[in-house]
Amino acid sequence: MMEELIKKAEEKGINVEDLIIFALSKEDPQEGVKLRLVLAERYMTEAEEYLKKGDAVQASEKTYKVAEEIVKALAEKFNLSEYQQAVKEDRWHTYTLANAAIKLSLKLGDWVKNGWNSAYTLHVWGFHEAKLDLDSVKNLLQDVRKMLEESKKILP
């Protein structure tokens, strides 16, 4: 039954993971940040596994998910207005993530913006359009890996 509910929610564009993390963060704000970092690390592992299999499309999408979770975690940690908007609306929008990445970059360094921009390129051209080859995906993944490593110095 639970799997069926999750599937129906996702079909309607509801990000179930986000809803759960938002709910847990209300009680303990650090919990949401920690969970997002765990998700980011899991997605990076999955991206690297897809690369080893030669699947540039899925590696691209998993790499994008790494950056997405990092931006969400950092936005929550620094309580950005974009995070507050996401909580209010029970969802993140891509433009909200982009705005948050830019603000975070100004605060923390270009590694945020570079990671986000590379991830978004992977999302569009690597996943949706399936136009990037493995070498291009590997190259862009490096910016997102740096984003993950730098964020681990800041996040709990």
Side-chain angles (χ1 to χ4, degrees):
M1 179 65 173
M2 183 60 78
E3 290 171 3
E4 205 173 298
L5 286 172
I6 292 170
K7 185 178 177 186
K8 283 187 182 209
E10 289 173 346
E11 286 172 0
K12 296 196 180 281
I14 298 168
N15 185 320
V16 177
E17 284 178 345
D18 271 347
L19 290 177
I20 293 168
I21 292 172
F22 284 146
L24 293 172
S25 289
K26 286 178 184 173
E27 271 187 44
D28 179 6
Q30 291 302 308
E31 187 65 24
V33 173
K34 288 177 191 172
L35 288 170
R36 290 200 185 281
L37 187 57
V38 168
L39 277 175
E41 289 178 320
R42 186 184 85 205
Y43 288 135
M44 182 57 77
T45 299
E46 291 175 9
E48 291 168 343
E49 287 171 3
Y50 279 118
L51 275 179
K52 288 177 188 169
K53 295 177 189 174
D55 189 338
V57 173
Q58 286 303 313
S60 294
E61 185 61 1
K62 295 300 180 178
T63 305
Y64 170 77
K65 297 294 284 176
V66 173
E68 184 179 55
E69 293 303 328
I70 291 169
V71 170
K72 289 175 183 178
L74 290 169
E76 182 171 351
K77 177 178 178 58
F78 292 104
N79 198 25
L80 298 184
S81 60
E82 290 78 8
Y83 167 71
Q84 294 168 13
Q85 179 183 343
V87 170
K88 183 178 172 186
E89 296 179 8
D90 283 332
R91 66 174 300 189
W92 283 90
H93 299 280
T94 307
Y95 70 88
T96 313
L97 290 164
N99 283 327
I102 293 164
K103 286 182 181 176
L104 290 163
S105 187
L106 291 169
K107 181 185 289 280
L108 302 172
D110 283 346
W111 57 267
V112 181
K113 180 175 57 180
N114 294 341
W116 173 257
N117 288 340
S118 291
Y120 191 72
T121 298
L122 287 166
H123 182 63
V124 174
W125 295 106
F127 179 68
H128 287 293
E129 300 296 329
K131 299 293 185 189
L132 297 180
D133 60 26
L134 278 174
D135 287 335
S136 297
V137 174
K138 286 177 188 176
N139 185 282
L140 292 167
L141 181 139
Q142 296 308 314
D143 291 334
V144 180
R145 181 178 287 121
K146 180 175 182 179
M147 185 186 196
L148 177 60
E149 294 307 315
E150 291 296 325
S151 69
K152 287 162 58 173
K153 297 174 185 174
I154 298 166
L155 298 172

